[in-house]
């Protein structure tokens, strides 16, 4: 084969970083292959099918590769209106609000199912209109829900689980996929390959002049946050996270020189000033210190005046790294503290100590960090009790006392149960989820289970959240958030985070209200002789 069309399936507007690396990987090994990138997110809904048909007709690819990034009815955090609708439906004492929430919930469900149906329609269009073209599909959403989605796709399409560079190259070269993670359906039978040797990242980079020649829509991302990957893989066992399943647990590093070369190209040729490291964790552990330090040192040496951010384990920040982070332009940060109880953190296999997280915040403060921090809490996690909830509230106060209350914005998350995670395995073994359940089938009773907030603490937490959300417009933060946490610089209230709904949570700072309201509720309750934790099955393996 000598031509490939990459199709980024519709989602919230976010720079298609993965596809840019795929295209570069193929170009360096098969420069004779014609390539084209089509981002359907940039078209209105009613124009997307025609756009795909027009581009395919003019480009005439032999291989069409779809990237499916998102499948989500709601983000399980307070910034997403659909979470608020769900809480009103399940927990509000106001009958009118419950009725209104039921209609809003039906609208959300309709949108959810229509989005899936629309994305499935694009491969079917290629199958019907261009039957000679071979097809592949991958991406985070497809990898997570591959067992369900492959049943709804045309037979013969090759699904790739995790990374796709080597698999696409093999298909182009007519080679076997026996050593790859794949899934496909043939004659009604689903076949899967589980062997995988993750691609080496030594030569992975982006050639901006070549990229602009195959991605005519790149201009839509001028002035926006650009994703850059410095490593793949995550060594941690966080019970709710898909990264180890998608990328593997072995961390593979790109040379720091190549990472900063990418940033410099975007900086000088596109005028980009805001960057997001798309790694599962920018600092994956002490083994990552040399690469991380060299990346930041090169940014400083090359005088690249940027703002950057990413998923950063604050517990791994030391004094030297904090200084480099601040000097190189770190912006606002999103920190997954998850819980303020070490017991709960251990139950979720989070792999860090709270004291180390506080130390990292102190090092940032001492280094002159001027940004703000979104502090993510997953309330009512397994092993949660009233006492551990109070500990979470105290942990917010601790971080606020270190960095300043005006710089710390707690955000209320809830664990979303996802396939192929330890949390799902626990809940299946405990009987909380039924064997053979369909994670894509959302009914009111399924949603209540998949948005993990079980009794007996669910109503207390819901009361605190609903109280805070009802008065949220009184505490709006008027400042713009830094570009490093944004994907668009044109919003009314400043920059919008890659998940735009997050902005509602930190602009209103309702998370602080929710935590303090929850503290009031908990401290005014009558003391109990015994406190039963949130039900949880026996963990599949020991905590980190």
């Amino acid at each position: 084969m000598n031509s490939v069309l990459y199709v980024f399936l519709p989602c919230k507007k976010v720079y298609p970083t993965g596809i840019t690396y795929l295209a570069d990987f193929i170009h360096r090994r098969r420069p004779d292959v014609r390539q084209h990138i089509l981002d359907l997110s940039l078209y209105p809904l009613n124009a997307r099918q025609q756009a795909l048909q027009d581009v395919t007709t003019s480009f005439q690819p032999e291989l069409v590769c779809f990237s499916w990034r998102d499948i989500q009815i709601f983000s399980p955090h307070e910034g997403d209106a659909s979470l608020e609708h769900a809480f009103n439906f399940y927990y509000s004492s106001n009958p009118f609000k419950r009725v209104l929430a039921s209609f809003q919930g039906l609208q959300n469900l309709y949108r959810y199912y229509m989005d899936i149906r629309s994305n499935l329609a694009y491969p079917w269009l290629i199958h019907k209109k261009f039957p000679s073209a071979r097809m592949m599909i991958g991406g985070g959403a497809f990898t997570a829900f591959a067992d369900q989605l492959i049943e709804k796709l045309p037979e013969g399409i090759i699904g790739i689980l995790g990374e796709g560079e080597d698999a696409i190259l093999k298909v182009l070269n007519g080679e076997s996929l026996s050593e790859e993670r794949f899934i496909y359906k043939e004659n009604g039978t689903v076949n899967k390959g589980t062997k995988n040797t993750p691609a080496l990242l030594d030569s992975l980079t982006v050639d901006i002049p070549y990229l602009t020649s195959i991605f005519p829509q790149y201009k839509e991302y001028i002035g926006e946050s650009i994703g850059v990957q410095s490593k793949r893989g995550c060594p941690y066992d966080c019970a709710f996270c898909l990264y180890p399943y998608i990328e593997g647990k072995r961390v593979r590093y790109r040379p720091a020189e190549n990472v900063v070369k990418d940033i410099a190209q975007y900086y000088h040729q596109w005028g980009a000033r805001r960057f997001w490291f798309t790694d599962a964790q920018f600092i994956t552990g002490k083994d990552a210190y040399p690469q991380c330090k060299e990346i930041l040192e090169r940014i400083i040496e090359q005088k690249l005046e940027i703002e950057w951010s990413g998923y950063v384990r604050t517990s791994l920040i030391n004094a030297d790294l904090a200084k480099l982070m601040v000097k190189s332009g770190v912006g606002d940060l999103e920190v997954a503290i998850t819980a303020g109880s070490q017991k709960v953190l251990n139950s979720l296999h989070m792999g860090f100590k709270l004291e180390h997280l506080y130390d990292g915040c102190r090092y940032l403060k001492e280094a002159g960090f001027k940004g703000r921090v979104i502090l993510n809490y997953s309330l009512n996690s397994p092993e949660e009790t009233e006492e551990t909830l109070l500990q979470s509230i105290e942990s917010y106060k601790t971080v606020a006392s270190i960095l300043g209350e005006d710089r710390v914005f707690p955000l209320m998350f809830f664990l979303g149960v996802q396939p192929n995670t330890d949390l799902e395995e626990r809940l299946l073994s405990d009987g909380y989820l039924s064997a053979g359940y369909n994670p894509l089938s959302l009914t009111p009773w399924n949603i209540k289970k998949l948005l993990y907030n079980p009794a007996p603490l669910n109503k207390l937490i819901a009361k605190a959240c609903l109280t805070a959300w009802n008065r949220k417009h009184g505490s709006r933060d008027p400042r713009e958030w830094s570009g490093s946490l944004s994907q668009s610089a044109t919003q009314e209230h400043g920059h919008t985070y890659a998940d735009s709904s997050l902005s509602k949570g930190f602009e209103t700072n309702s998370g602080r209200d929710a935590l303090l309201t929850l503290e009031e509720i908990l401290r005014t309750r009558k003391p109990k002789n015994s406190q039963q934790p949130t039900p949880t099955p026996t963990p599949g393996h020991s905590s980190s």
Side-chain angles (χ1 to χ4, degrees):
M1 294 185 186
N2 295 298
S3 56
V4 55
L5 169 64
Y6 303 96
V7 182
F8 193 52
L9 291 174
C11 63
K12 295 172 183 175
K13 185 182 177 185
V14 59
Y15 186 66
T17 306
I19 288 180
T20 64
Y21 287 123
L22 275 171
D24 183 85
F25 180 90
I26 298 300
H27 181 60
R28 291 180 183 279
R29 287 153 183 81
R30 285 284 307 275
D32 60 305
V33 171
R34 295 185 302 117
Q35 300 187 99
H36 188 92
I37 298 173
L38 173 64
D39 185 350
L40 289 179
S41 298
L42 302 178
Y43 289 90
L45 176 62
N46 60 4
R48 288 168 181 167
Q49 286 207 15
Q50 190 61 51
L52 175 58
Q53 185 168 334
D54 290 346
V55 170
T56 309
T57 299
S58 63
F59 188 67
Q60 289 295 307
E62 295 171 271
L63 177 64
V64 180
C65 296
F66 294 93
S67 176
W68 197 333
R69 184 180 187 270
D70 290 330
I71 292 182
Q72 216 164 314
I73 184 173
F74 48 69
S75 301
H77 60 73
E78 62 178 295
D80 194 308
S82 50
L83 177 66
E84 187 172 347
H85 300 157
F87 266 44
N88 272 313
F89 177 74
Y90 293 121
Y91 304 113
S92 177
S93 58
N94 185 324
F96 175 75
K97 285 189 174 181
R98 295 189 73 171
V99 171
L100 180 61
S102 68
F103 285 106
Q104 292 167 326
L106 287 173
Q107 291 176 337
N108 292 333
L109 282 171
Y110 177 78
R111 185 183 72 243
Y112 165 79
Y113 283 115
M114 285 304 296
D115 285 348
I116 293 178
R117 183 178 178 182
S118 296
N119 277 7
L120 290 169
Y122 302 117
W124 277 105
L125 184 151
I126 297 298
H127 175 72
K128 293 173 182 176
K129 300 281 188 180
F130 307 91
S132 63
R134 295 203 61 184
M135 291 187 290
M136 301 178 72
I137 187 167
F142 178 81
T143 299
F145 299 100
D147 291 332
Q148 292 76 35
L149 293 175
I150 200 67
E151 298 286 357
K152 301 178 182 296
L153 288 162
E155 285 206 359
I157 189 171
I158 301 171
I160 297 300
L161 309 180
E163 300 169 37
E165 283 90 348
D166 286 334
I168 292 174
L169 182 61
K170 287 177 179 178
V171 170
L172 287 171
N173 290 338
E175 299 172 6
S176 169
L177 293 179
S178 59
E179 298 297 317
E180 300 297 324
R181 290 172 67 198
F182 66 85
I183 183 171
Y184 71 92
K185 187 171 68 172
E186 188 174 37
N187 298 323
T189 301
V190 173
N191 302 282
K192 296 183 79 171
T194 56
K195 295 182 180 179
N196 181 238
T197 303
L200 296 177
L201 308 182
D202 292 352
S203 62
L204 198 65
T205 185
V206 173
D207 180 341
I208 295 296
Y210 176 70
L211 176 62
T212 57
S213 73
I214 67 170
F215 185 28
Q217 296 167 288
Y218 80 92
K219 294 178 183 178
E220 297 289 338
Y221 291 100
I222 297 295
E224 305 216 0
S225 185
I226 300 296
V228 173
Q229 191 166 49
S230 77
K231 61 184 67 67
R232 287 183 189 168
C234 183
Y236 298 100
D237 291 309
C238 304
F240 50 83
C241 185
L242 272 167
Y243 268 113
Y245 177 76
I246 295 173
E247 296 186 354
K249 294 191 66 175
R250 182 169 69 88
V251 180
R252 291 152 290 134
Y253 302 93
R254 293 181 62 206
E257 180 181 4
N258 289 354
V259 176
V260 180
K261 181 181 177 183
D262 290 353
I263 294 173
Q265 284 190 89
Y266 286 119
Y267 183 93
H268 292 297
Q269 297 183 45
W270 286 11
R273 294 295 183 268
R274 296 178 287 121
F275 295 88
W276 175 268
F277 286 107
T278 62
D279 315 345
Q281 291 290 338
F282 181 61
I283 313 170
T284 48
K286 292 183 179 179
D287 289 345
Y289 284 166
Q291 186 228 29
C292 293
K293 287 183 178 180
E294 186 180 349
I295 288 171
L296 303 182
E297 287 168 350
R298 286 178 177 271
I299 290 172
I300 296 166
E301 290 168 2
Q302 296 184 31
K303 296 181 170 55
L304 301 175
E305 297 180 1
I306 66 172
E307 284 183 329
W308 66 266
S309 191
Y311 296 121
V312 177
R313 283 205 162 214
T314 318
S315 58
L316 290 169
I317 295 175
N318 58 30
D320 291 339
L321 197 55
K323 293 174 185 175
L324 287 173
M325 289 172 67
V326 171
K327 193 172 181 180
S328 63
V330 67
D332 301 317
L333 290 172
E334 185 181 356
V335 177
I337 187 171
T338 307
S341 160
Q342 194 63 54
K343 177 184 177 183
V344 173
L345 292 176
N346 291 345
S347 171
L348 292 173
H349 310 152
M350 295 298 292
F352 71 86
K353 300 292 185 184
L354 278 165
E355 281 305 319
H356 295 164
L357 183 146
Y358 301 146
D359 288 342
C361 291
R362 293 186 185 98
Y363 290 133
L364 283 172
K365 176 73 172 179
E366 292 167 4
F369 176 66
K370 301 299 183 184
R372 287 171 290 178
V373 169
I374 301 171
L375 206 57
N376 294 337
Y377 284 93
S378 296
L379 299 184
N380 210 4
S381 297
E383 300 294 337
E384 195 85 85
T385 65
E386 292 186 19
E387 181 59 33
T388 62
L389 286 174
L390 288 170
Q391 290 171 6
S392 287
I393 296 162
E394 289 303 312
S395 71
Y396 155 66
K397 294 178 181 179
T398 300
V399 175
S401 71
I402 296 169
L403 294 174
E405 188 174 337
D406 63 332
R407 296 190 183 280
V408 180
F409 291 72
L411 201 64
M412 302 301 101
F413 269 73
F414 293 87
L415 296 181
V417 182
Q418 301 184 90
N420 305 299
T421 60
D422 179 72
L423 180 61
E424 183 202 44
E425 183 181 326
R426 294 192 206 182
L427 299 179
L428 283 168
S429 65
D430 188 52
Y432 179 90
L433 295 175
S434 301
Y437 85 104
N438 182 355
L440 291 179
S441 176
L442 294 185
T443 61
W445 48 91
N446 275 355
I447 292 173
K448 195 171 185 180
K449 284 195 169 186
L450 295 178
L451 182 63
Y452 190 77
N453 184 35
L457 300 176
N458 53 347
K459 292 183 179 179
L460 294 177
I461 294 169
K463 181 179 179 181
C465 288
L466 289 172
T467 300
W469 296 341
N470 285 337
R471 62 176 181 239
K472 61 189 174 185
H473 299 294
S475 59
R476 180 175 295 278
D477 179 10
R479 300 168 296 177
E480 293 184 357
W481 280 71
S482 80
S484 55
L485 279 181
S486 78
Q487 285 293 330
S488 175
T490 59
Q491 302 300 314
E492 179 184 357
H493 298 294
H495 301 304
T496 300
Y497 186 75
D499 178 352
S500 59
S501 58
L502 270 174
S503 62
K504 299 174 186 175
F506 56 64
E507 283 176 357
T508 62
N509 200 11
S510 54
R512 177 181 181 276
D513 287 348
L515 284 179
L516 297 184
T517 302
L518 181 60
E519 182 181 36
E520 270 180 42
I521 293 171
L522 293 173
R523 294 201 185 282
T524 55
R525 283 166 59 81
K526 292 180 180 180
K528 296 183 181 294
N529 294 329
S530 62
Q531 176 68 50
Q532 296 297 318
T534 296
T536 181
T538 303
H541 48 82
S542 60
S543 61
S544 301

